[in-house]
Amino acid sequence: GQLPAKILSTREGQVLELMSEGLQNKLIAARMELSEHTVKVHVHNIIRKLKVHNRTQAAAVYRSFDRRPYGSMHGGADLARFAPSGV
């Protein structure tokens, strides 16, 4: 389960993690210190890259690929870097 890691940029991974927590674009923008417009662009790209139709489906894809046992991903940056070793 590492689909998002191969497809999304680090930034998109961070946006996707916050989306999956149910945050609105405005709140994601504030949390990441980006403009709301920039967040909208990221969200649009995430939805397109994951081949889903809306942010709810994108969040569901994110959660389905986030089954690692060690909890939080510290702001989402780890999603883009994650590569299982010895699996």
Side-chain angles (χ1 to χ4, degrees):
Q2 45 172 329
L3 174 77
K6 289 200 182 306
I7 295 175
L8 303 180
S9 69
T10 301
R11 197 53 118 182
E12 289 164 349
Q14 291 169 335
V15 171
L16 179 56
E17 182 178 39
L18 295 175
M19 274 169 60
S20 76
E21 292 172 12
L23 269 61
Q24 299 166 314
N25 289 352
K26 184 166 50 178
L27 297 174
I28 294 171
R31 184 83 64 89
M32 295 181 67
E33 298 181 344
L34 299 170
S35 74
E36 197 173 344
H37 171 75
T38 300
V39 172
K40 281 179 185 167
V41 170
H42 286 318
V43 169
H44 175 80
N45 289 338
I46 289 164
I47 288 170
R48 179 176 54 79
K49 287 180 174 185
L50 295 182
K51 298 182 170 63
V52 294
H53 296 105
N54 55 52
R55 57 195 296 137
T56 306
Q57 289 178 347
V61 169
Y62 171 84
R63 284 193 297 272
S64 74
F65 282 95
D66 185 28
R67 299 211 182 284
R68 295 187 293 295
Y70 42 79
S72 168
M73 298 187 359
H74 313 294
D78 293 343
L79 180 65
R81 287 200 303 267
F82 180 70
S85 57
V87 177

